Amino acid sequence: MMGHSHAVSGALVFSAAAPFLPSLVIGRPLQPGEVLVGALLSAGAAVLPDLDHHDGTVANLFGPITRLVCRTVARLSGGHRHATHSLVFVALAGAGCRAGVARWERGFTDGLTFALLLLAVQALRSHPSGHRAPVRATAVGLAAIGTASVHTWLPGTGTWLPYALVLGTLAHVLGDCLTRRGAPLLWPYGRRFEIVLIDRTGNRFETRILVPLMTAGAFVLAWTAAFAPTALTG
């Protein structure tokens, strides 16, 4: 799946789970603003497993710098679609986020919020396209404004940020199970799990059917979960 598809799937999964899971996982329901911001943060998190891809959304953020980071991750993790595309990575991402919030509190929360919003802006194409400096500056500016807004109006973000990170990364890993080569969910056990619905990344089914449906679903579910949750919970 493409980075855009993964980001949309992250927002969709977070929005679909918002009326049900937060009370069980974090002990309270999410407020409307948290649902909407959480969908964006989960969209950004859904790009993270492709830290092992030399030409993915993360790699193209800041040119040679981020490409070098991704190539290094690929070497350490065994290549594309290996360790970072597993349930182990999902669990470590959530645990690491929780530990970071506990250790550095608002500083860590703000930093990770900025990074995830930047990835979401990039993957969801919420700014002019291209790789020129002004375009990158626009993406950074949007992420900075979003982070400042979250810091000011959603001070409890750290309590549910690990939850959003887990849902986003999990959406990516499961999404890749719908493509050829699948994903090694139980890494380091080598078996790949796949149910091939997308036989080629970026094909017509993905771009013209799946992504539009997921986008519409994410918008409807996020809005409903934020402002009319009883319509979903009964």
Side-chain angles (χ1 to χ4, degrees):
M1 294 178 73
M2 301 182 301
H4 178 72
S5 305
H6 282 305
V8 173
S9 74
L12 176 65
V13 168
F14 185 93
S15 301
F20 311 100
L21 281 186
S23 295
L24 298 175
V25 176
I26 66 173
R28 67 172 178 86
L30 296 177
Q31 299 303 308
E34 293 174 326
V35 172
L36 299 179
V37 170
L40 289 175
L41 294 178
S42 193
V47 179
L48 285 177
D50 274 346
L51 275 165
D52 63 2
H53 195 305
H54 71 281
D55 195 30
T57 301
V58 180
N60 288 317
L61 270 180
F62 297 110
I65 297 174
T66 44
R67 279 196 290 272
L68 177 61
V69 170
C70 289
R71 289 183 186 279
T72 302
V73 171
R75 283 196 295 269
L76 294 175
S77 64
H80 182 46
R81 289 205 194 184
H82 283 82
T84 66
H85 286 66
S86 68
L87 296 179
V88 170
F89 178 81
V90 173
L92 289 177
C97 180
R98 185 173 181 180
V101 170
R103 176 66 177 84
W104 293 289
E105 299 178 342
R106 294 297 295 276
F108 180 88
T109 299
D110 289 346
L112 185 55
T113 295
F114 173 79
L116 295 181
L117 287 178
L118 180 59
L119 289 173
V121 168
Q122 189 78 3
L124 295 173
R125 302 165 189 166
S126 304
H127 64 93
S129 61
H131 302 296
R132 297 168 302 183
V135 173
R136 292 193 179 104
T138 300
V140 170
L142 290 172
I145 292 171
T147 302
S149 300
V150 170
H151 181 92
T152 302
W153 289 299
L154 298 176
T157 298
T159 61
W160 54 267
L161 186 57
Y163 163 78
L165 189 67
V166 165
L167 285 187
T169 52
L170 181 61
H172 182 119
V173 171
L174 295 180
D176 274 347
C177 289
L178 304 179
T179 68
R180 292 193 182 279
R181 289 187 62 214
L185 296 182
L186 302 181
W187 182 92
Y189 176 57
R191 179 188 172 188
R192 291 180 175 270
F193 295 81
E194 63 178 54
I195 302 175
V196 182
L197 297 180
I198 302 171
D199 60 2
R200 181 173 55 83
T201 298
N203 66 6
R204 290 185 177 183
F205 174 73
E206 179 181 352
T207 59
R208 299 187 181 183
I209 298 176
L210 186 59
V211 170
L213 286 176
M214 289 196 301
T215 301
F219 273 112
V220 171
L221 289 172
W223 187 264
T224 305
F227 302 109
T230 55
L232 299 173
T233 58

